[in-house]
Amino acid sequence: MRPFGHAAYVAALTYALVAEAGRSSVAGLVLLGLGAGAAFLSLAHARDVLRGERPRFELPSVDAFAARLGATLPAWSNSDVRVEVVALALAVTGAPGLPWGVLVGAALARLWRWFIAPRG
């Protein structure tokens, strides 16, 4: 369900950002492209999961990344829904660009795992 939720939420936020008056058409196209790409990566991950294949666009582990850096995360942040909690907390501000940035960043993190994967 999470990848479908990410795709729906980023699509809605992309619409909110592009529909704002006063934004240039080039900026709107860039936002639209990034939002569509983020939604596509979430849906591609959902497709892999539903087919029972190895998910190519799964989010990397934050705990493993922190361990590589030699850092420890606080105990209160141990959750499977970190991205969703941060996006919700930023949505309370009323600025659609903040949670949109978190979700696009998560989509780029999905792409990063695919990018560094060994060939074959």
Side-chain angles (χ1 to χ4, degrees):
M1 278 315 282
R2 286 177 57 201
F4 289 119
H6 282 209
Y9 194 32
V10 79
L13 289 171
T14 300
Y15 174 77
L17 286 173
V18 172
E20 284 181 359
R23 186 177 314 277
S24 72
S25 59
V26 173
L29 282 175
V30 169
L31 291 173
L32 186 63
L34 286 173
F40 175 76
L41 289 173
S42 293
L43 292 175
H45 172 66
R47 177 183 172 264
D48 289 345
V49 170
L50 289 174
R51 286 187 165 189
E53 299 174 1
R54 181 181 157 266
R56 292 171 289 194
F57 299 113
E58 188 175 22
L59 280 171
S61 170
V62 174
D63 297 320
F65 181 68
R68 282 175 116 184
L69 295 177
T72 57
L73 296 174
W76 57 267
S77 73
N78 289 337
S79 173
D80 289 336
V81 291
R82 289 182 184 131
V83 172
E84 291 84 0
V85 169
V86 171
L88 177 66
L90 292 174
V92 174
T93 64
L98 297 176
W100 182 84
V102 169
L103 293 172
V104 169
L108 291 175
R110 290 180 194 278
L111 193 59
W112 179 251
R113 175 173 276 179
W114 170 78
F115 182 71
I116 64 169
R119 194 174 207 185

